[in-house]
Amino acid sequence: MTLIEAEAKYIQPTYTRQPITLTRGSGARVWDSEGREYIDCIAGVAVNVCGHCHPKIVEAIRTQAETLIHTSNLYYTEPQIKLAEELANLTGLDRIFFCNSGTEAVEAAMKLVRRATGKTDFIASENSFHGRTLGALSLTHTEKYRKPFEPLIPGVTFVRYDDAAAIAAAITPDTAAVVLEAVQGEGGIHIASTEYLREVREICDSNDVLLILDEVQTGFGRTGTWFAYEHYGIKPDIMTMAKALGSGFPIGAMASREDLLFGRGEHGATFAGSPLACAAALATISVIRDEGLVERSRTLGAHLREGLQSIESLAGNKVREVRGIGLMVGIDFETGCGDLVNMARERGVLLNCTADTVLRFLPPLVITESEIDQVMAVVEQL
Ligand SMILES: Cc1ncc(COP(=O)(O)O)c(C=O)c1O
């Protein structure tokens, strides 16, 4: 039985995979089991910001694994507390709750909001993606992800993205929080306007409603700032993070204002904030800082977008728009772009297609300018 046959036999058929088996990665490149090399422009879906197997992150994981892997939260551990301090400083928020994924960070935010406000309801956006567990799924708009699992939690209203008046109109006395992505990732790289987020902040303040920003995909330099909210001159009350935080070692976190607190025992998770996960995250943050990856995302992102702007159509599929911020970039086509993903892969570039028509670029932030030029040369000829 081949590996692909064994996957079909033993693994739940939830994933549509591309027909290659990846075996190794370094920097912005990965290799498959046939020894073919690819420039990875998807980075584990915005995870490998520091590239694959960055030596400092490998070393931090190795050293921590030799010292202490897991203890549970029955005890204090230094990496967790140090990481909480780093995240509080980076996010401008006060308190951190650790977990293991993006969806868990969103669950934590939902529970905290209900706990702290005594109110039950949420306003989320059309096109949103916040995760797959039942709470986070209730905030996720895409019908095909929700439908088989209904009824989800009640009290979630979806309104048009980038429309502050729609949020104001949807607020009721039961509204606890507005939940938004400053840049919708899975929804197709839609970037909130500055006026919108500023207005939403004001609407939340004047109605005593909390603002949760989901930075699971946009965090840690992806958009050219540490967090996307920094582009807007506003601050959320609660922020969710995951993906890039551990460079691929699973870890998520929720940051919140000082006055929004759980009581003891009201939330928790066995693996949350393990020494190993936190060591991976601390090393990730120091590599982002030491190698100037946030600035790199800004300048290389501008270079990539500029190069892609001139493309009018690929393989007969007309371009509607090239959108992006930092190294979070999408080409929106008139029709589905799955075949373009296959063509690019056959020419040595890994991309993905989101929201059916958006060819998405989320390369590691360590990608070089010449690698980006190679990617653009491949894409232009599709
Ligand atoms: C904005 C956003 N929130 C939450 C999630 C869920 O994260 P995870 O897959 O780690 O549960 C994602 C995943 O793509 C995301 O993009």
Side-chain angles (χ1 to χ4, degrees), residues 169-180:
I171 288 178
T172 72
D174 295 325
T175 306
V178 171
V179 188
L180 292 174

Side-chain angles (χ1 to χ4, degrees), residues 54-289:
H54 190 291
K56 288 191 178 151
I57 295 166
V58 171
E59 182 52 32
I61 292 174
R62 180 187 292 122
T63 305
Q64 188 60 49
E66 285 169 354
T67 313
L68 187 67
I69 294 177
H70 173 79
T71 61
S72 85
N73 283 298
L74 294 172
Y75 310 98
Y76 295 95
T77 52
E78 190 175 316
Q80 184 184 110
I81 298 163
K82 278 190 166 167
L83 180 60
E85 190 180 353
E86 277 277 20
L87 291 178
N89 290 332
L90 283 174
T91 60
L93 289 163
D94 305 298
R95 296 276 182 160
I96 309 297
F97 175 82
F98 287 111
C99 54
N100 309 289
S101 64
T103 200
E104 278 181 72
V106 173
E107 294 290 331
M110 294 176 80
K111 284 179 73 175
L112 180 63
V113 156
R114 283 190 165 181
R115 167 72 173 83
T117 65
K119 295 189 277 185
T120 49
D121 292 2
F122 295 90
I123 298 173
S125 288
E126 290 172 4
N127 260 324
S128 60
F129 187 88
H130 296 288
R132 308 275 197 160
T133 50
L134 288 171
L137 187 59
S138 307
L139 303 177
T140 293
H141 184 243
T142 312
E143 185 74 4
K144 71 175 178 204
Y145 300 150
R146 303 167 55 85
K147 196 79 195 148
F149 309 105
E150 287 176 344
L152 298 173
I153 71 158
V156 180
T157 306
F158 292 98
V159 299
R160 229 161 61 100
Y161 189 62
D162 218 29
D163 182 346
I167 288 183
I171 288 178
T172 72
D174 295 325
T175 306
V178 171
V179 188
L180 292 174
E181 299 154 88
V183 184
Q184 291 185 326
E186 301 306 296
I189 320 285
H190 295 285
I191 305 162
S193 66
T194 304
E195 314 80 73
Y196 168 64
L197 274 195
R198 289 192 178 165
E199 266 182 66
V200 172
R201 179 69 273 181
E202 280 171 27
I203 292 166
C204 287
D205 288 343
S206 53
N207 288 279
D208 204 13
V209 164
L210 295 172
L211 176 61
I212 304 173
L213 282 187
D214 183 346
E215 295 254 14
V216 165
Q217 189 158 151
T218 47
F220 302 98
R222 175 57 56 194
T223 70
T225 48
W226 273 92
F227 295 99
Y229 84 87
E230 295 164 47
H231 292 287
Y232 297 90
I234 56 132
K235 218 169 102 177
D237 304 304
I238 296 176
M239 186 195 299
T240 53
M241 303 157 256
K243 288 197 184 272
L245 175 54
S247 282
F249 198 98
I251 180 167
M254 174 197 59
S256 57
R257 263 176 19 199
E258 181 61 40
D259 57 319
L260 304 173
L261 294 174
F262 282 120
R264 298 224 182 269
E266 285 181 352
H267 199 41
T270 301
F271 295 126
S274 78
L276 195 49
C278 292
L282 283 165
T284 301
I285 291 169
S286 78
V287 168
I288 296 174
R289 196 176 274 139

Side-chain angles (χ1 to χ4, degrees), residues 8-22:
K9 178 165 160 53
Y10 293 113
I11 295 186
Q12 281 280 358
T14 52
Y15 302 109
T16 307
R17 298 183 203 260
Q18 298 187 33
I20 53 172
T21 303
L22 296 181

Side-chain angles (χ1 to χ4, degrees), residues 307-318:
L308 298 177
Q309 278 308 342
S310 57
I311 299 173
E312 285 175 6
S313 75
L314 292 177
N317 198 348
K318 274 187 81 180

Side-chain angles (χ1 to χ4, degrees), residues 16 18 41-42 45 132 144-145 185-189 217 317 320 323 329-345 349-362:
T16 307
Q18 298 187 33
C41 278
I42 213 66
V45 197
R132 308 275 197 160
K144 71 175 178 204
Y145 300 150
E186 301 306 296
I189 320 285
Q217 189 158 151
N317 198 348
R320 275 198 292 227
R323 296 189 285 268
V329 177
I331 310 180
D332 193 358
F333 289 92
E334 282 188 348
T335 61
C337 59
D339 53 339
L340 293 172
V341 171
N342 292 331
M343 290 163 72
R345 186 187 64 251
V349 173
L350 299 186
L351 294 168
N352 110 314
C353 175
T354 192
D356 297 331
T357 60
V358 179
L359 191 65
R360 182 164 53 162
F361 299 71
L362 298 168

